[in-house]
Amino acid sequence: MEIYSLHVDCKVTSRFAHTVITSKIVNRANESKEATFEVELPKTAFITNFSMSIDGKVYPGIIKEKASAQKEYDTTVSHGQSAGLIKSTGRKLEQFHVSIHIAAASKVTFELTYEELLKRRLGKLELLIKVQPKQLVKHFQIDVHIFEPQGIRFLETDSTFMTNELTEALTKVQNETKAHILFKPTIDQQKVNPELDETLLNGDFVVRYDVKREATAGDIQIVNGYFVHYFAPREMPALPKNVIFVIDRSGSMAGRKIEQTRDALLKVLRDLRPEDHFSFITFNSRVAKWKSSLLQATPENVASAAGFVQTLLANGGTDINRALLTAVSVLDEAEGLPERSVSMIILLTDGQPTSGENNVEVIQENIQKAVNGKYALFCLGFGFDVSYKFLEKMALNNGGIARRIYENADAALQLQGFYQEVATPILMRIEMQYPENVVEGLTKNNFKLFFEGSEIIVSGKISNELELFPVEIKAQSRASNLTLKEEANVKEKELVFQNQSYIFGNFMERLWAYLTIQQLLERAVSAQEEDQRSLEAQALELSLRFSFVTPLTSMVVTKPAGQQQTELANKPTEAG
């Protein structure tokens, strides 16, 4: 089986990435053989299209509601279950895998399309392309086209497999608002060495960039009646933070996990600012406060905390409920904290609650009642013995997020990386306001906190023939209450995207749909049952209308006669 052509074509327009992977395979054997198409794509992406073309006949993937797709599948496949076409592989990726038998000398073309909205983290937008052809490919090419009307501030590529020879196959062309990255290695450049027919191409190909930000009230872009508003203020002072680290030291954390936790906490302590306040609560079946109240991050207090962190040992059960309630009461009773400051609780645990209250729903209720919207709760789940669903719901209920920490050599770096994302709050209570009577389908427009290096994105539909589109942002900064205003000229904004070859059809509408689905699914996690059904129904309707494989839809892939005819592509979720 020879892959004679493999092309990754990615167009990024205003952070929205549309990637098409085309693989052409020929059966050089003199008998029927199995051809495999295997692609890893980002977990944050939604597949929107897949097709196989065998000797000119096209077999498209059809996206349907999950339950009806499963029913159809069950009726056509009586013998044994297939494993499904998509599975989660590691932290950032999931794998799409399909195999079919093709006759001697036959050719097959596989084509997979997926889309995602790039998320700004620590000041960078990142596009990740996984490269793994597993053989030398005569025509191998990656094309990345970027169009950012705000202007490209910097652009870099990075790869885990580059050699000096391969670097020669990489070209970058860039102007003010556009960039084209082309990676087109010859067969010789792909080889591990001249004698061996082994490929070097195995790993990540990453493009990182950021945009210029001139306007204070963010940047508004409008296409075909849909708008997106990007807001990421620059050069603002950090709000002081009051942070309580709630650390699991139950028996399952013993050994490497507690060591990595100690390493990460020592580095986090060094990153605290002098005006921050902090404390630790550690727990197994017992809950222990390091100090009875929050301490200011003076050099002496930080040194004392570092000494304490180095003594952390793990044994016993897991009383998550009491540990979190204790953290809330320490914040409730705190005195002398800076008037404008951000209070947060960061929980790190590797298991299920086993001591004290262990009904997860009761714990979620208790914590939500106690926090009562006053603080943000971030939940880090270490490894795969945790109930990620439980942590995710608890974090989303309380204005935070959950993140899984993978049990690898770099777990301490993962913990630090997460902390860096929330280390610098610069705004709180952000309200993005738009004229009520002209905007429909508005995505989330109120945000509890804004962290340096991230970005707020709001999208919606402008309903009538509007000439000027006014926006207003209200927020609290360290120094004052801010009101930022901007007025966009709709016709001028629409012109920006006209005649751009970079653009794929109705990208702004798809960006709006992608963002809306992600937010509906996130809200469904922490909603009551009835609301959950309504949120999921809305997300399903959009998933079907825009052809997205989301956790609510499946793609039905039908193969040529005589093979296992139907297979399903279901999107995995972090909660499993």
Side-chain angles (χ1 to χ4, degrees):
M1 275 295 162
E2 180 198 332
I3 302 174
Y4 61 93
S5 166
L6 183 59
H7 190 184
V8 180
D9 181 39
C10 181
K11 291 181 168 63
V12 185
T13 310
S14 186
R15 331 275 198 280
F16 196 61
H18 173 92
T19 304
V20 182
I21 299 176
T22 310
S23 173
K24 297 183 177 182
I25 300 176
V26 59
N27 181 1
R28 298 254 182 241
N30 51 11
E31 58 184 348
S32 148
K33 287 252 180 192
E34 192 170 63
T36 297
F37 176 68
E38 194 173 272
V39 166
E40 291 194 53
L41 60 141
K43 287 181 178 179
T44 44
F46 291 151
I47 289 173
T48 69
N49 208 351
F50 171 70
S51 68
M52 298 178 285
S53 168
I54 304 160
D55 296 333
K57 184 166 168 34
V58 179
Y59 298 84
I62 311 287
I63 294 173
K64 299 188 172 181
E65 192 243 335
K66 205 173 196 170
S68 62
Q70 188 65 47
K71 204 165 157 189
E72 184 180 320
Y73 174 76
D74 292 342
T75 53
T76 55
V77 183
S78 49
H79 50 275
Q81 284 284 343
S82 131
L85 300 176
I86 311 177
K87 65 173 197 278
S88 187
T89 52
R91 302 172 198 180
K92 292 184 175 177
L93 297 164
E94 55 196 34
Q95 184 191 72
F96 179 89
H97 175 113
V98 68
S99 302
I100 55 160
H101 283 281
I102 57 169
S106 270
K107 289 180 178 177
V108 58
T109 299
F110 294 104
E111 187 177 281
L112 179 76
T113 306
Y114 61 85
E115 293 176 345
E116 65 176 318
L117 183 57
L118 303 182
K119 193 172 180 184
R120 188 168 183 251
R121 282 211 171 102
L122 303 173
K124 293 176 181 181
L125 294 151
E126 183 177 287
L127 177 75
L128 169 62
I129 295 168
K130 186 76 172 182
V131 179
Q132 231 173 359
K134 296 185 179 166
Q135 58 172 265
L136 300 172
V137 178
K138 191 174 176 186
H139 302 288
F140 179 93
Q141 188 169 330
I142 295 177
D143 272 294
V144 178
H145 289 272
I146 298 171
F147 173 47
E148 288 288 352
Q150 283 170 269
I152 296 168
R153 190 173 68 78
F154 80 90
L155 174 75
E156 61 187 27
T157 57
D158 191 8
S159 155
T160 52
F161 52 78
M162 272 302 165
T163 59
N164 290 342
E165 285 74 31
L166 280 175
T167 309
E168 291 168 20
L170 180 68
T171 55
K172 271 195 290 192
V173 182
Q174 188 183 340
N175 66 18
E176 184 72 13
T177 57
K178 292 180 184 173
H180 176 210
I181 293 156
L182 173 65
F183 179 55
K184 195 176 179 180
T186 62
I187 284 235
D188 287 339
Q189 286 171 322
Q190 292 170 41
K191 288 182 177 179
V192 171
N193 65 42
E195 285 73 55
L196 280 178
D197 277 355
E198 263 183 57
T199 179
L200 279 166
L201 307 184
N202 183 5
D204 299 344
F205 184 82
V206 182
V207 178
R208 291 189 193 92
Y209 73 96
D210 198 18
V211 301
K212 294 178 178 168
R213 292 184 170 78
E214 307 303 335
T216 51
D219 189 74
I220 299 156
Q221 298 171 19
I222 302 171
V223 179
N224 296 339
Y226 283 84
F227 80 90
V228 64
H229 185 183
Y230 294 107
F231 180 56
R234 296 187 335 216
E235 294 159 9
M236 289 187 121
L239 287 153
K241 60 185 183 298
N242 318 308
V243 55
I244 299 187
F245 298 95
V246 181
I247 307 297
D248 183 342
R249 55 183 173 89
S250 61
S252 53
M253 284 286 288
R256 196 170 169 205
K257 284 191 210 164
I258 200 80
E259 276 169 36
Q260 291 172 319
T261 302
R262 287 198 297 253
D263 289 350
L265 289 173
L266 290 171
K267 294 196 174 69
V268 163
L269 282 167
R270 288 203 285 270
D271 287 343
L272 288 169
R273 293 184 189 81
E275 66 271 27
D276 290 341
H277 288 69
F278 74 103
S279 194
F280 290 97
I281 286 169
T282 60
F283 69 96
N284 45 24
S285 32
R286 295 187 24 246
V287 174
K289 297 183 201 175
W290 170 54
K291 299 284 186 211
S292 57
S293 60
L294 288 147
L295 295 189
Q296 194 170 345
T298 61
E300 302 77 41
N301 287 339
V302 167
S304 156
F308 164 73
V309 164
Q310 278 157 328
T311 65
L312 282 179
L313 293 171
N315 55 41
T318 311
D319 190 345
I320 293 176
N321 183 59
R322 207 149 52 90
L324 285 174
L325 290 176
T326 306
V328 173
S329 69
V330 170
L331 283 171
D332 283 346
E333 291 158 21
E335 289 171 357
L337 299 178
E339 192 185 331
R340 281 180 185 256
S341 59
V342 170
S343 296
M344 55 175 88
I345 298 167
I346 298 178
L347 167 71
L348 173 67
T349 179
D350 75 332
Q352 313 282 13
T354 58
S355 304
E357 179 58 67
N358 56 20
N359 177 326
V360 292
E361 282 165 9
V362 174
I363 297 174
Q364 285 164 341
E365 260 172 56
N366 290 348
I367 305 311
Q368 191 171 2
K369 214 153 137 189
V371 170
N372 196 17
K374 298 177 297 229
Y375 318 123
L377 170 64
F378 297 96
C379 297
L380 303 180
F382 207 142
F384 279 86
D385 295 332
V386 295
S387 163
Y388 188 82
K389 224 174 186 162
F390 158 61
L391 295 180
E392 182 181 38
K393 181 167 181 175
M394 202 156 55
L396 291 173
N397 276 343
N398 297 290
I401 55 169
R403 186 75 57 85
R404 194 188 294 283
I405 302 296
Y406 287 79
E407 285 183 58
N408 294 21
D410 69 341
L413 283 172
Q414 294 175 59
L415 288 164
Q416 260 171 276
F418 170 79
Y419 173 75
Q420 279 171 333
E421 285 182 48
V422 298
T424 316
I426 57 176
L427 292 176
M428 43 189 192
R429 300 192 184 93
I430 305 104
E431 290 177 34
M432 313 282 283
Q433 297 176 344
Y434 308 91
E436 270 176 33
N437 48 351
V438 296
V439 172
E440 287 173 37
L442 189 64
T443 61
K444 180 177 166 152
N445 65 327
N446 283 321
F447 302 86
K448 198 168 181 157
L449 295 168
F450 175 78
F451 297 100
E452 176 83 80
S454 67
E455 181 169 57
I456 283 176
I457 306 177
V458 181
S459 182
K461 192 176 173 182
I462 304 173
S463 50
N464 59 13
E465 290 298 305
L466 206 62
E467 284 179 25
L468 292 173
F469 181 52
V471 305
E472 186 171 292
I473 301 171
K474 291 190 165 168
Q476 294 180 5
S477 72
R478 182 167 179 174
S480 63
N481 289 351
L482 299 177
T483 302
L484 306 169
K485 291 183 180 183
E486 179 87 32
E487 210 166 40
N489 181 315
V490 177
K491 284 210 167 51
E492 273 175 29
K493 291 284 180 188
E494 292 253 12
L495 282 174
V496 172
F497 290 98
Q498 276 168 5
N499 315 322
Q500 293 293 350
S501 57
Y502 281 42
I503 291 173
F504 45 97
N506 52 350
F507 91 93
M508 185 74 78
E509 189 179 352
R510 297 190 69 80
L511 181 160
W512 166 81
Y514 172 96
L515 187 59
T516 303
I517 293 166
Q518 292 279 29
Q519 291 180 359
L520 287 167
L521 292 172
E522 192 171 281
R523 280 168 56 201
V525 169
S526 55
Q528 299 299 322
E529 202 172 321
E530 211 167 289
D531 295 341
Q532 197 170 15
R533 278 201 293 271
S534 144
L535 292 164
E536 286 182 349
Q538 293 171 58
L540 171 63
E541 191 271 322
L542 284 174
S543 303
L544 291 170
R545 176 149 53 110
F546 289 90
S547 289
F548 285 130
V549 178
T550 68
L552 304 170
T553 52
S554 293
M555 182 186 279
V556 181
V557 175
T558 306
K559 298 181 181 183
Q563 308 193 27
Q564 173 167 354
Q565 276 247 268
T566 317
E567 289 198 86
L568 290 187
N570 290 332
K571 186 167 181 62
T573 61
E574 192 61 77

